[in-house]
Amino acid sequence: MHFTVFLIIGILVQFYTNFWQFNFQESFLIFLVFAFLLLIRNRFFTTILTAIIFFTIGVFAVFITDCSNYDNYYQHHLKNETNAVLKITKVLKSGNYSDKYEAEVIQIQQQKTRGTILLNVQKDSFSNSLKVDDLVKLKADFLAIYPPLNPYQFNYKSYLARQGIYQQIFTENNQFLNLESQSSTIIGLSAKFRDLVQESLKKYHFKEDELSVINALLLGQRQDVSKELIADYSRAGAIHILAVSGLHVGVILLMLSFLLKPLERIQNGKYLKTILIIFLLWMFAFIAGLSASVLRAVTMFTFLAVGLGFKKKNVVFFSLVSSLFLLLIIKPMFLFDVGFQLSYLAVFGIIWVQPKLYQLMQPKVKILDKIWQLFTVSIAAQVGILPLSIYYFEQIPGLFLASNLVIIPFLMYILIGGIVIIITSLLNILPQFVADLYGIVISWMNNFVSWISHQEVFLFKEISISFLWMLAWYAFIILGIDFLMYKKPKKLMYVLIAILGVQSIYFYETKTKENKEEIIVFHKSRSSIIGKRLGENLLLQHDLDTLNFKDNFSVKSYRVSEGISETNSVNFNNFIQFKDKNILLVDSLGIYQLDNLKNPIILLQYSPKINLERLIKAIKPSKIVADGSNYKSYVFRWEETSKKQKTPFYYTGKNGAYILY
């Protein structure tokens, strides 16, 4: 555990500072020096050096997995309109207008390269989608991936960067050439097997939602699940059911342990049972696509299966920490994956909290005991993930217990039934009535989750906490549970200090928000949204639907994250005075003549037909801002004029929302 902590610190330091710039030979020599120093027999010195070594391993793990540190990284060889050969490595969920893929850049011109990009192919009903391991040759521009244009929105650029993806290509089906692939990767073979399964299932006339959920449950493919159904599972607190991860692998491990228990009666049967379980777990990972969530779950339960086979003490905690350590060495960027964080925190919560909760009451009736076990497991998992879940998703699904208590007891049978359905469909011996019956079960599950998700009174939305406050809550939870376990006065003092910390951060952040004032020009294509923030109140001038303007995507993230309690519409009448700044709004009428107005900020909206050069000379603005309501051709022309006149120019469609403090 201590090694893992220092490994994590090393990963974080290198990711955020990128201070390690040694080449691979120098790094290897440094490790040799460290290894030699370990021969010194001094306990204190060895302890400190060991911590440094594992910190350095974390640093080097980030360094060595970053393709940009290699000479053959594709960006080092780019030119305008470069000929490139790409290899599809992952099929992503399609957008509204394009199919999306992760692709490795294996060749630029004649140079062999490495590095991953995002490939966007315009949708075309007459062409087939690309598959994993497909090779495509094209000539295209490599474009940057832009961050969100409004504050607190999901940062897709940052999300992709943590997977080593920094650029993207846009193309059409008739603009690239399919090449014959000479080899197949294990992920490609897995994808071909899943395609075969999906084709066999389509013959049995499952409904669209039924088939998409079967693909998600058993094959790890959520691309075809509708946005509405994903939203239902998320609001019901059951989204983990649709993602093949620890829950599914744990259920399969229990099932395999039960089915293979007779092997323990033969000589060396325990070892054979363990080997078979591990083999079958990795077979399931292969079928489920070897995605990140599947790999980490199967890795963790592989360690657990080994520990259970040898009946070691603290086997669950050992398997958890060991798998965490191994995965972070191989894939250090997993640390920044939300699913990775939630999975491990949930299991930590179950290991630590569930046994103590279960001891509070031990029903004598078996069915009540099973229900109580499920209840305590669900509560313990939520204790582990609640602060982090609020930080990321800004909501608490109040009926998560209902959805989990109803679905999870039947999940083993649903998975077993699904495996039987897949095998029999591949062998063409699946009776239609059995397929229909399984489809009905999946529909019942979908309908139940949908009903749960629409109980709005139990869905607590728009809850926002800062990163610092989240850490304070975790400190309180950990210290609080530790006190309840051991009930020592010293531990109570720590709990009281943690409570004081939670309160202090709350009062500080509340006071800061109450005193905060700013002007914010949001970006929304073909619309204009201007806000004036006064403490917890937000005044908005906009052209949106009056009833739903505060829930508009461009504004909502800002409103929730900043703790805005009241939002109202306002008309600024083309002029805003903010502190010592004057802001002049020039709309489609193009009126801007005001007496005694010195060096204002000019906000251009609705594509006014003005002579910008004349405006600059007339009122000498300190800055010109253009929002998303303007034609792009006008914006580009204004930007050139501003450069010539040496006047700062800001476009929200390029630079993001304009905020004036």
Side-chain angles (χ1 to χ4, degrees), residues 204-272:
Y204 293 93
H205 312 296
F206 289 104
K207 294 178 182 177
E208 187 176 344
D209 277 347
E210 293 172 359
L211 187 58
S212 64
V213 170
I214 291 171
N215 284 331
L217 274 172
L218 298 161
L219 304 177
Q221 301 301 296
R222 277 175 37 177
Q223 293 96 326
D224 297 327
V225 182
S226 66
K227 291 181 180 179
E228 295 76 15
L229 198 56
I230 287 179
D232 285 345
Y233 274 84
S234 179
R235 288 195 296 263
I239 192 64
H240 53 284
I241 291 171
L242 289 183
V244 177
S245 56
L247 174 63
H248 303 70
V249 179
V251 168
I252 290 172
L253 175 61
L254 290 174
M255 180 178 68
L256 292 174
S257 297
F258 175 76
L259 293 175
L260 298 176
K261 193 171 182 63
L263 289 175
E264 295 181 4
R265 299 172 187 170
I266 65 175
Q267 187 177 6
N268 297 321
K270 290 182 180 179
Y271 303 113
L272 179 59

Side-chain angles (χ1 to χ4, degrees), residues 300-315:
M300 181 171 68
F301 283 99
T302 296
F303 277 90
L304 181 60
V306 172
L308 290 172
F310 293 96
K311 295 185 177 179
K312 294 293 184 182
K313 291 179 66 177
N314 299 322
V315 60

Side-chain angles (χ1 to χ4, degrees), residues 1-15:
M1 186 64 189
H2 295 90
F3 296 159
T4 304
V5 169
F6 284 106
L7 181 77
I8 289 172
I9 294 172
I11 291 171
L12 291 171
V13 170
Q14 175 63 14
F15 180 78

Side-chain angles (χ1 to χ4, degrees), residues 392-630:
Y392 281 125
F393 306 116
E394 299 180 336
Q395 65 178 25
I396 303 174
L399 285 174
F400 71 90
L401 279 174
S403 57
N404 285 308
L405 289 174
V406 172
I407 294 173
I408 290 178
F410 299 100
L411 187 60
M412 177 183 291
Y413 306 104
I414 292 172
L415 290 175
I416 293 172
I419 293 170
V420 172
I421 291 287
I422 286 175
I423 294 172
T424 52
S425 68
L426 286 171
L427 297 174
N428 287 320
I429 58 173
L430 173 63
Q432 183 62 49
F433 79 90
V434 175
D436 292 339
L437 183 62
Y438 190 73
I440 290 171
V441 172
I442 296 297
S443 288
W444 283 350
M445 182 174 73
N446 290 343
N447 292 335
F448 174 74
V449 168
S450 179
W451 178 79
I452 288 285
S453 72
H454 285 87
Q455 309 309 306
E456 295 285 343
V457 68
F458 296 104
L459 180 62
F460 306 101
K461 298 185 290 186
E462 300 187 0
I463 305 170
S464 177
I465 61 175
S466 67
F467 180 76
L468 185 61
W469 204 23
M470 178 195 72
L471 294 180
W473 273 112
Y474 268 118
F476 166 69
I477 290 171
I478 292 169
L479 294 171
I481 293 172
D482 193 43
F483 167 70
L484 292 175
M485 286 181 175
Y486 300 104
K487 297 182 177 63
K488 294 182 179 179
K490 188 176 181 180
K491 294 185 182 295
L492 176 60
M493 182 181 70
Y494 293 150
V495 174
L496 295 176
I497 292 172
I499 292 173
L500 184 63
V502 170
Q503 291 176 325
S504 300
I505 293 171
Y506 170 76
F507 287 125
Y508 171 76
E509 292 184 349
T510 301
K511 191 68 175 176
T512 301
K513 289 176 181 177
E514 287 176 352
N515 295 328
K516 192 171 184 178
E517 295 183 1
E518 62 188 16
I519 297 292
I520 177 166
V521 181
F522 295 93
H523 178 79
K524 182 170 175 58
S525 181
R526 299 180 185 140
S527 294
S528 180
I529 309 173
I530 306 164
K532 186 175 184 178
R533 161 83 178 273
L534 299 172
E536 296 181 353
N537 297 324
L538 181 63
L539 303 176
L540 286 175
Q541 176 177 297
H542 60 91
D543 53 10
L544 307 173
D545 179 1
T546 306
L547 295 176
N548 300 316
F549 74 93
K550 69 178 183 178
D551 290 324
N552 181 270
F553 183 70
S554 303
V555 177
K556 185 177 180 180
S557 298
Y558 173 83
R559 179 175 59 80
V560 174
S561 298
E562 285 287 338
I564 301 296
S565 59
E566 187 174 350
T567 309
N568 295 303
S569 294
V570 70
N571 187 348
F572 292 123
N573 295 315
N574 295 88
F575 182 78
I576 305 172
Q577 189 166 24
F578 179 73
K579 297 182 180 179
D580 59 342
K581 301 286 186 181
N582 294 317
I583 305 169
L584 179 62
L585 281 58
V586 180
D587 58 20
S588 58
L589 297 177
I591 300 172
Y592 58 84
Q593 291 293 344
L594 287 175
D595 295 332
N596 301 320
L597 193 63
K598 295 182 178 179
N599 307 119
I601 296 171
I602 301 294
L603 173 57
L604 302 173
Q605 51 181 173
Y606 305 116
S607 306
K609 296 180 180 179
I610 58 171
N611 186 319
L612 187 61
E613 185 175 343
R614 186 185 303 160
L615 181 150
I616 293 173
K617 290 179 178 178
I619 55 181
K620 297 180 175 58
S622 59
K623 179 174 283 188
I624 296 174
V625 180
D627 67 11
S629 65
N630 297 287

Side-chain angles (χ1 to χ4, degrees), residues 3 6 38 45-55:
F3 296 159
F6 284 106
L38 280 176
F45 178 79
T46 303
T47 302
I48 297 299
L49 184 61
T50 304
I52 293 172
I53 287 174
F54 280 93
F55 169 84

Side-chain angles (χ1 to χ4, degrees), residues 274-325:
T274 301
I275 292 169
L276 278 173
I277 286 175
I278 292 171
F279 173 75
L280 292 171
L281 285 179
W282 283 99
M283 280 295 297
F284 176 74
F286 174 81
I287 293 169
L290 297 169
S291 65
S293 61
V294 176
L295 286 174
R296 63 176 174 252
V298 173
T299 301
M300 181 171 68
F301 283 99
T302 296
F303 277 90
L304 181 60
V306 172
L308 290 172
F310 293 96
K311 295 185 177 179
K312 294 293 184 182
K313 291 179 66 177
N314 299 322
V315 60
V316 178
F317 184 74
F318 167 78
S319 67
L320 185 69
V321 176
S322 300
S323 63
L324 176 64
F325 181 78

